Coordinates of all heavy atoms in Angstrom, one line a residue:
V217 N 8.4 -8.2 -1.4 CA 9.1 -7.8 -0.2 C 10.4 -8.5 0.2 O 11.4 -8.0 0.6 CB 8.0 -7.8 0.9 CG1 8.7 -7.4 2.3 CG2 6.9 -6.8 0.7
H218 N 10.4 -9.8 -0.3 CA 11.4 -10.6 -0.1 C 12.8 -10.1 -0.7 O 13.8 -10.5 -0.2 CB 11.0 -12.1 -0.6 CG 12.1 -13.1 -0.5 ND1 12.3 -13.7 0.8 CD2 12.7 -13.7 -1.5 CE1 13.2 -14.7 0.5 NE2 13.4 -14.7 -0.8
C221 N 15.7 -8.5 1.1 CA 15.6 -8.7 2.6 C 17.1 -9.2 3.1 O 17.6 -10.0 2.5 CB 14.7 -9.7 3.0 SG 14.6 -10.1 4.7
T222 N 17.6 -8.7 4.2 CA 18.9 -9.1 4.7 C 18.9 -10.4 5.2 O 20.0 -10.9 5.6 CB 19.3 -8.0 5.7 OG1 18.3 -7.9 6.7 CG2 19.6 -6.8 5.2
R223 N 17.8 -11.1 5.3 CA 17.6 -12.5 5.8 C 17.6 -13.4 4.6 O 17.4 -14.7 4.8 CB 16.5 -12.6 6.7 CG 16.4 -11.9 7.9 CD 15.1 -11.7 8.7 NE 15.2 -10.7 9.7 CZ 15.5 -11.0 11.0 NH1 15.6 -12.3 11.4 NH2 15.7 -10.1 11.8
N224 N 17.9 -12.9 3.4 CA 17.7 -13.9 2.3 C 18.5 -15.1 2.2 O 18.1 -16.2 1.9 CB 18.0 -13.1 0.9 CG 16.8 -12.6 0.3 OD1 16.3 -13.3 -0.4 ND2 16.4 -11.4 0.6
H227 N 17.0 -17.6 4.4 CA 15.8 -18.2 3.6 C 16.3 -19.3 2.6 O 15.8 -20.4 2.6 CB 15.0 -17.2 2.9 CG 13.9 -17.7 2.2 ND1 12.6 -17.8 2.7 CD2 13.7 -18.2 0.8 CE1 11.8 -18.3 1.9 NE2 12.4 -18.6 0.7
G240 N 17.2 -15.9 12.0 CA 17.1 -16.5 10.7 C 15.9 -15.9 9.9 O 15.5 -14.7 10.2
C241 N 15.5 -16.7 9.0 CA 14.4 -16.3 8.0 C 13.1 -16.4 8.9 O 13.0 -17.4 9.8 CB 14.4 -17.0 6.8 SG 12.9 -16.9 5.8
L242 N 12.1 -15.7 8.6 CA 10.7 -15.7 9.3 C 9.6 -16.4 8.6 O 8.4 -16.3 9.1 CB 10.4 -14.3 9.7 CG 11.5 -13.3 10.2 CD1 11.1 -11.8 10.0 CD2 11.7 -13.7 11.6
F243 N 9.9 -17.1 7.5 CA 8.9 -17.7 6.6 C 8.3 -18.9 7.0 O 7.0 -19.1 7.1 CB 9.6 -17.9 5.3 CG 8.6 -18.4 4.2 CD1 7.5 -17.7 3.7 CD2 8.7 -19.7 3.7 CE1 6.6 -18.2 2.8 CE2 7.8 -20.2 2.8 CZ 6.8 -19.4 2.3
C248 N 6.0 -14.9 7.8 CA 6.5 -13.8 6.8 C 5.8 -14.0 5.6 O 5.8 -15.0 4.9 CB 7.9 -13.8 6.8 SG 8.5 -12.3 5.9
H249 N 5.2 -12.9 4.9 CA 4.6 -12.9 3.7 C 5.6 -12.3 2.5 O 5.2 -12.1 1.4 CB 3.4 -12.0 3.7 CG 2.2 -12.8 4.2 ND1 2.1 -13.1 5.5 CD2 1.1 -13.1 3.6 CE1 0.9 -13.7 5.7 NE2 0.2 -13.6 4.7
G250 N 6.9 -12.1 3.0 CA 7.8 -11.5 2.1 C 7.9 -12.1 0.6 O 7.9 -11.3 -0.3
P251 N 8.0 -13.5 0.6 CA 7.9 -14.1 -0.7 C 6.6 -14.0 -1.5 O 6.6 -14.6 -2.7 CB 8.4 -15.4 -0.5 CG 9.0 -15.5 1.0 CD 8.1 -14.4 1.7
N258 N 11.9 -3.7 0.9 CA 13.2 -3.9 1.1 C 14.2 -3.1 0.2 O 15.4 -3.4 0.0 CB 13.6 -5.4 1.2 CG 13.5 -5.9 2.5 OD1 14.2 -5.4 3.4 ND2 12.6 -7.0 2.8
T269 N 11.1 -6.7 8.1 CA 11.8 -7.9 8.1 C 13.3 -7.6 8.6 O 13.9 -8.4 9.3 CB 11.9 -8.7 6.8 OG1 12.5 -7.8 5.8 CG2 10.5 -9.0 6.3
C275 N 6.8 -9.7 7.6 CA 6.0 -9.0 6.7 C 4.6 -9.6 6.8 O 4.5 -10.9 6.7 CB 6.5 -9.1 5.3 SG 5.3 -8.8 4.0
Ligands
SF4_7 S1 12.3 -12.9 6.5 FE1 10.7 -12.8 5.0 S2 11.3 -11.4 3.5 FE2 13.1 -11.9 4.7 S3 14.2 -13.6 3.7 FE3 12.8 -14.5 5.1 S4 10.8 -14.8 4.0 FE4 12.0 -13.4 2.8

Side-chain angles (χ1 to χ4, degrees):
V217 172
H218 179 71
C221 177
T222 51
R223 294 166 191 264
N224 263 272
H227 181 85
C241 174
L242 311 162
F243 179 66
C248 186
H249 281 64
N258 269 300
T269 61
C275 160

